[in-house]
Amino acid sequence: MNAQTLSVPAAIRARRTTRHYRPDPVPRELLDELLDLAVEAPTAWNMQDRSIVMVTSASGRRDLSNAAFGQPQPLEAPVMLVFVAETAAWQAENADIAELAVRNGAWNADFTAMFHSRSEFHSLRQRGLTRENAVKNAMIAATYVMLAATSLGLSSAPMNGWDPDLVKKAIGIEDRPDLAIAVMVAIGYSDTTAPYPGRRPREHTVFTERYPSSRS
């Protein structure tokens, strides 16, 4: 299915965080398109060390609302996506990733050898950064989802206020210390048109070459 209604720049400008949703279900084919786009998000070394748990049941969404201190989005939105960072995924063989990249002509022998060496991931582990790396990759996928949702006529809300242990319990991974919750994203149809809160001028946050010394 290709139901894109907005270009990427238009989706970026149109996206709003939606707190309240209509009860209308999201068609399965639209969800399939959204999730197909989500897994196209890039990851370091194409390790794909993030997963998405889709929660649509009333009981599952209620558990996520409880984990999010009673916030309404999981109760109202028909779909909740939980982005899971797989901090130890790099330790698996993951031969299929390299084989596909080679077959597609994307990786040469040298790059494939570097992938198999996992040298960068060993360095991340030594510096205690494997979790941070996986969370970053999951957040990129979540950003893809929000922009794709807007382009497909859906509303969304990123949620970063929750108890991670309760979120993990809600999706059945409470006994997995190697997995971390990166973010939750509500998906559905807005019950109103959210006003644009505005952003600071680009000059306030974009700099050339160096961060200004006078800025705190």
Side-chain angles (χ1 to χ4, degrees):
M1 175 183 179
N2 185 0
Q4 185 175 11
T5 58
L6 294 177
S7 67
V8 173
I12 290 172
R13 293 187 172 97
R15 192 211 66 81
R16 300 288 183 269
T17 294
T18 299
R19 285 184 54 81
H20 296 288
Y21 296 81
R22 305 198 308 265
D24 311 40
V26 178
R28 182 68 221 196
E29 60 270 21
L30 209 58
L31 279 178
D32 287 342
E33 175 76 352
L34 182 66
L35 295 171
D36 283 345
L37 293 170
V39 298
E40 289 295 328
T43 58
W45 288 93
N46 200 29
M47 193 58 70
Q48 301 168 60
D49 49 354
R50 74 289 184 265
S51 292
I52 304 168
V53 178
M54 181 172 65
V55 179
T56 58
S57 68
S59 60
R61 290 185 289 111
R62 184 171 58 251
D63 289 343
L64 291 178
S65 177
N66 291 336
F69 315 112
Q71 293 185 69
Q73 297 94 314
L75 296 176
E76 297 181 11
V79 179
M80 288 296 300
L81 301 180
V82 183
F83 290 78
V84 179
E86 302 173 340
T87 66
W90 65 276
Q91 294 176 308
E93 185 178 1
N94 297 316
D96 62 306
I97 293 175
E99 290 167 2
L100 182 60
V102 170
R103 190 161 64 246
N104 286 343
W107 290 3
N108 60 24
D110 289 341
F111 195 94
T112 303
M114 288 190 291
F115 173 81
H116 286 306
S117 76
R118 304 289 199 276
S119 59
E120 182 173 332
F121 290 92
H122 287 292
S123 174
L124 288 170
R125 180 169 62 178
Q126 290 172 355
R127 291 177 288 149
L129 296 176
T130 53
R131 181 187 185 280
E132 179 179 324
N133 180 73
V135 167
K136 288 175 180 177
N137 291 329
M139 293 300 298
I140 294 171
T143 300
Y144 265 50
V145 158
M146 290 185 287
L147 295 181
T150 301
S151 79
L152 296 170
L154 296 166
S155 299
S156 65
M159 299 184 64
N160 199 31
W162 28 258
D163 182 314
D165 293 332
L166 292 179
V167 175
K168 292 179 72 171
K169 183 177 181 180
I171 61 172
I173 58 171
E174 64 269 30
D175 59 346
R176 294 289 303 275
D178 60 309
L179 301 178
I181 305 301
V183 71
M184 299 196 301
V185 177
I187 299 291
Y189 296 98
S190 177
D191 71 344
T192 186
T193 301
Y196 178 53
R199 298 291 188 268
R200 286 171 164 173
R202 187 181 66 185
E203 294 76 12
H204 189 87
T205 52
V206 179
F207 311 108
T208 301
E209 303 296 343
R210 298 177 67 87
Y211 193 87
S213 58
S214 60
R215 183 179 170 89
S216 57

